[in-house]
């Protein structure tokens, strides 16, 4: 079965960077895009961006342009999301999700809590 | 920019039908997807492409989309359906690309 397993909780200082990993199994990694979304405490879901493991194409939400980089490693079936210049309002649970078809997410990772402390 | 509007909360008695709406300008021309999220858990896809169900999702979950409103309908609601529900679409005309509604908390009375 499709499974996405994310890295563990991160605690970072303001201005630092964080890199979250998402290891996929149970399907051909290159066949589906990977999207990242986040959820601040008590808030709704917010899309961060998308990457194609097949060719490395990326799309980022405008508010994260310049601060986020998404990459994949086909050899280990792992996707990564790096967010730089962290601010307090970046404190959230970050999710990776497999893109099915063109535009929706049929499997999600368990989430990675990123805490930005001042 | 395009906005998806959901009611913050919906309440329903067990066994009744709950309807959760997602409003957007001419949303009927787009494909809408719905996710269920229980506290402390990752979202789960319950309806995609307006009205299709992934395998394993009960027939009690159904969706429709027309005009300016997409609707998720839960029939014969059970206590275990209590969760937050999010609509989502992919809009290539916006910088956001992927949009989520603000979420609706379904309370089973």
């Amino acid at each position: 079965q499709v499974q996405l397993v994310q890295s563990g909780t991160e605690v970072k200082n303001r201005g630092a960077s964080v890199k979250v990993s998402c290891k996929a199994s149970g399907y051909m990694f290159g066949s589906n895009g990977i999207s990242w979304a986040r959820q601040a405490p008590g808030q709704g879901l917010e899309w961060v961006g998308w990457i194609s493991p097949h060719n490395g194409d990326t799309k980022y939400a405008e508010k994260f342009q310049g601060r986020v980089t998404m990459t994949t490693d086909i050899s280990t079936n792992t996707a990564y999301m790096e967010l730089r210049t962290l601010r307090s309002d970046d404190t959230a649970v970050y999710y990776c999700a497999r893109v099915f078809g063109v535009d929706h997410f049929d499997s999600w990772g368990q989430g990675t809590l990123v805490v930005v402390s001042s | 920019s395009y906005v998806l509007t959901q009611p913050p909360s919906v309440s329903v008695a067990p066994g009744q039908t709950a309807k959760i709406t997602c409003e957007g300008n001419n949303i009927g021309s787009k494909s809408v997807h719905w996710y269920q999220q229980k506290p402390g858990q990752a979202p789960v896809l319950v309806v995609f492409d307006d009205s299709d169900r992934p395998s394993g999702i009960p027939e009690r979950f159904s969706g429709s989309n027309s005009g300016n409103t997409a609707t998720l309908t839960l029939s014969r609601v059970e206590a275990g359906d209590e969760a937050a529900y999010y609509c989502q679409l992919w809009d290539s005309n916006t910088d956001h690309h992927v949009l989520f509604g603000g979420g609706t908390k379904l309370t089973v009375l």
Side-chain angles (χ1 to χ4, degrees):
Chain A
Q1 75 283 16
V2 175
Q3 202 170 11
L4 300 174
V5 178
Q6 299 183 221
S7 48
T9 296
E10 300 269 9
V11 180
K12 298 290 184 180
N13 291 325
R14 271 189 306 178
S17 299
V18 68
K19 192 169 186 177
V20 180
S21 68
C22 170
K23 184 171 177 61
S25 62
Y27 73 101
M28 192 166 297
F29 184 58
S31 298
N32 298 76
I34 294 286
S35 253
W36 291 85
R38 73 179 187 179
Q39 188 169 37
Q43 303 301 308
L45 296 166
E46 180 178 31
W47 183 68
V48 179
W50 164 91
I51 184 167
S52 165
H54 173 65
N55 58 16
D57 280 355
T58 54
K59 293 184 190 295
Y60 302 135
E62 185 180 16
K63 72 176 288 185
F64 298 104
Q65 291 272 4
R67 276 209 309 142
V68 70
T69 301
M70 294 178 184
T71 56
T72 58
D73 183 341
I74 291 282
S75 68
T76 59
N77 290 353
T78 303
Y80 299 92
M81 182 207 65
E82 181 181 35
L83 189 61
R84 299 177 292 277
T85 318
L86 290 168
R87 307 187 291 248
S88 298
D89 62 0
D90 290 320
T91 293
V93 175
Y94 289 76
Y95 292 101
C96 63
R98 187 179 81 154
V99 179
F100 190 81
V102 177
D103 59 358
H104 60 277
F105 314 124
D106 68 337
S107 292
W108 293 66
Q110 82 277 19
T112 296
L113 175 62
V114 175
V115 177
V116 182
S117 66
S118 52
Chain B
S1 60
Y2 199 84
V3 176
L4 297 175
T5 302
Q6 298 183 235
S9 63
V10 168
S11 298
V12 64
Q16 300 302 303
T17 297
K19 290 183 181 291
I20 298 172
T21 58
C22 177
E23 295 184 347
N25 184 36
N26 198 26
I27 196 173
S29 67
K30 307 177 190 299
S31 286
V32 177
H33 321 291
W34 291 90
Y35 302 87
Q36 175 194 69
Q37 187 181 33
K38 296 182 179 180
Q41 298 183 19
V44 172
L45 180 69
V46 293
V47 166
F48 66 97
D49 291 348
D50 297 336
S51 59
D52 289 334
R53 276 186 315 278
S55 61
I57 300 300
E59 291 183 9
R60 301 186 297 104
F61 288 79
S62 62
S64 62
N65 185 16
S66 178
N68 294 319
T69 305
T71 303
L72 175 69
T73 301
L74 284 71
S75 304
R76 302 181 301 282
V77 167
E78 303 172 355
D81 297 332
E82 187 162 289
Y85 292 84
Y86 295 90
C87 59
Q88 175 255 317
L89 57 79
W90 183 292
D91 187 358
S92 60
N93 294 324
T94 72
D95 292 331
H96 294 283
H97 302 291
V98 171
L99 295 174
F100 288 100
T104 298
K105 173 68 192 307
L106 176 68
T107 299
V108 181
L109 301 171

